[in-house]
Amino acid sequence: YEKLKNDYNNLQKENQNLNEQIKTLKNELLSVSNTNQKEIFEMKEKMQKYKDELKKTESKIPPANVNNSSVTGNITGEDYVGGIAGRIQHNVTINNLYANVDLIGHGNVGGLIGMSDTNVRLNNSHSSGSIPATGDYVGGLIGDSHGSYITSCYSDVDIITSGSYAGGIAGRTLE
């Protein structure tokens, strides 16, 4: 009986020691987690500050215009592939543009523009050709459009993709 009682007491002490170790590890983990959360919060604040600064800088970029142009041919790329541009950003107006192109790409592929950002205006323009792509955001005019304006445009593009978000005008449009 005494041996069983001693064994039981020893197991209880060992169990108590293990519970204390677990408690200590939990406290250490919470401490690390809180530190990481603080660092993450600080990084998010910095990112927002940089985004705000970027917006101020972008608003100072003078507008650009592309008028009365055409493109024909074959274009092959990985991402951001377009008949006139892979990616266009900030205050660009495109008028009376025609692209007759066969494009091969992965994602963000468009008959005219692979990806457009912030205040891109596309007017009286059209595209024709074919786009076999393997990724997302494939469109007859713009593959991935963020804050763009499309007026009096059309596409006659054959699109084949194994990815998501494909459209005759734009693969995806945001804002």
Side-chain angles (χ1 to χ4, degrees):
Y1 172 76
E2 285 299 318
K3 180 169 177 11
L4 285 176
K5 186 177 176 183
N6 283 338
D7 287 345
Y8 176 77
N9 287 337
N10 287 336
L11 286 174
Q12 270 196 317
K13 284 180 186 178
E14 189 176 327
N15 191 15
Q16 186 177 5
N17 285 337
L18 288 172
N19 281 328
E20 286 177 22
Q21 288 176 346
I22 289 171
K23 189 176 179 180
T24 301
L25 287 173
K26 280 184 183 179
N27 288 335
E28 287 177 11
L29 181 61
L30 286 174
S31 172
V32 169
S33 177
N34 288 337
T35 300
N36 287 342
Q37 286 179 3
K38 183 180 177 188
E39 289 174 3
I40 290 170
F41 179 76
E42 288 171 355
M43 287 190 325
K44 284 182 179 180
E45 282 185 327
K46 280 183 182 179
M47 280 181 21
Q48 187 58 50
K49 182 179 174 183
Y50 292 141
K51 284 180 183 179
D52 293 343
E53 289 297 317
L54 181 62
K55 284 182 183 179
K56 288 178 190 175
T57 303
E58 288 172 354
S59 67
K60 296 176 186 176
I61 297 172
N65 295 303
V66 178
N67 297 308
N68 307 315
S69 301
S70 65
V71 177
T72 60
N74 301 306
I75 301 171
T76 300
E78 184 65 26
D79 291 318
Y80 306 107
V81 180
I84 60 162
R87 186 170 183 176
I88 294 181
Q89 296 178 287
H90 319 298
N91 300 324
V92 176
T93 299
I94 299 168
N95 295 303
N96 305 313
L97 183 81
Y98 171 67
N100 180 9
V101 291
D102 293 321
L103 303 170
I104 298 174
H106 175 69
N108 295 303
V109 182
L112 297 177
I113 304 167
M115 181 177 183
S116 65
D117 286 327
T118 316
N119 201 25
V120 172
R121 297 178 184 282
L122 184 59
N123 305 308
N124 300 313
S125 298
H126 66 279
S127 63
S128 62
S130 65
I131 305 175
T134 56
D136 297 340
Y137 314 122
V138 181
L141 296 175
I142 302 174
D144 196 2
S145 171
H146 296 251
S148 300
Y149 303 90
I150 301 170
T151 306
S152 300
C153 297
Y154 70 92
S155 74
D156 182 19
V157 176
D158 296 322
I159 298 172
I160 301 169
T161 182
S162 57
S164 299
Y165 305 101
I169 297 295
R172 176 173 75 166
T173 301
L174 299 174
E175 298 178 35

